[in-house]
Amino acid sequence: MSIAPEIARLKACAVVPVVVIDEAEIAVPLAEALLAGGIDVIEITLRRPAAMAALEVVAKKVPGILPVAGTVVTPAQAAEVHNAGALAVVSPGFTEGVDEAMKKTGLPWLPGVATASDCMRAVGAGRLTCKFFPAEQAGGVAGLKALSGPFPQMQFCPTGGVSLANLGNYLALPQVICVGGSWLVPADAVKNRDWAQVTKLSREAREKVAELRD
């Protein structure tokens, strides 16, 4: 089965920073700080009014990073992030409406799943690469192993409670292509424009991934 190049990018990076941005003007230096640390993917979540503008500016001005739109929960948002320049989309759950909207965009979409019923709906729609969310609250590594039993064709990006301390446990699972986490971009670092801290945390994550893959 062929894999979309954007999904391949997620897998190669292995760690996807989940970012909440309140001011669009910080999006570019934030993305550049991630790149400096070896992270070439950014998930900008639609949790703040500035998110769409931030997504658009990163897509235009930081060509070295893969712009991913997160927390897409409505069909209208699917169209909006496509127009803003997102190259992949992540959602906390699955609905047929968003699925249809995403098919119209042609972008890779990782809908969120947490239960067997979620997985059945996703598989039925042909969505075999999904976000496992909220990962730790949904059973963590053990929960994902159990869920993968009846769905061996699926692959996952666990997000929610993932950190440098436990990312290795998730990445050790063959069905996990990457993990998502907010620890790479702490709120205090963003508030203080401490891009050196973001680069440091990104480098630590990439070094951890390299150790795991040796």
Side-chain angles (χ1 to χ4, degrees):
M1 183 179 66
S2 62
I3 182 171
E6 296 84 3
I7 300 299
R9 284 275 296 276
L10 295 178
K11 186 173 183 179
C13 190
V15 179
V16 181
V18 180
V19 178
V20 177
I21 294 181
D22 288 304
E23 303 169 79
E25 58 265 28
I26 71 167
V28 168
L30 173 55
E32 290 174 341
L34 291 168
L35 271 177
I39 300 291
D40 66 351
V41 175
I42 183 171
E43 178 186 331
I44 298 176
T45 64
L46 302 190
R47 300 182 186 182
R48 298 288 193 273
M52 204 67 70
L55 179 64
E56 186 170 5
V57 73
V58 167
K60 288 181 177 177
K61 296 188 177 182
V62 193
I65 203 162
L66 180 73
V68 179
T71 322
V72 172
V73 298
T74 69
Q77 288 177 330
E80 289 171 3
V81 298
H82 180 228
N83 293 335
L87 295 180
V89 177
V90 180
S91 298
F94 177 96
T95 70
E96 284 72 16
V98 175
D99 179 53
E100 287 301 315
M102 286 307 308
K103 286 175 180 174
K104 291 177 182 177
T105 70
L107 297 177
W109 179 47
L110 280 66
V113 298
T115 68
S117 294
D118 293 340
C119 289
M120 288 177 66
R121 293 172 70 196
V123 169
R127 303 294 184 178
L128 302 183
T129 302
C130 293
K131 174 179 180 175
F132 178 55
F133 177 82
E136 285 293 284
Q137 293 86 345
V141 170
L144 185 52
K145 283 182 178 179
L147 199 60
S148 297
F151 303 102
Q153 70 273 56
M154 296 186 72
Q155 52 188 10
F156 301 91
C157 173
T159 305
V162 182
S163 67
L164 187 67
N166 63 9
L167 73 86
N169 298 329
Y170 284 103
L171 291 177
L173 302 179
Q175 62 270 37
V176 170
I177 62 165
C178 60
V179 301
S182 59
W183 88 90
L184 293 162
V185 187
D188 60 339
V190 174
K191 179 180 179 180
N192 297 323
R193 311 295 198 263
D194 188 355
W195 308 132
Q197 174 71 354
V198 173
T199 295
K200 176 179 178 290
L201 293 171
S202 299
R203 188 173 292 118
E204 288 177 352
R206 288 298 299 156
E207 289 173 351
K208 182 69 173 179
V209 170
E211 291 174 9
L212 295 167
R213 289 179 169 175
D214 279 347

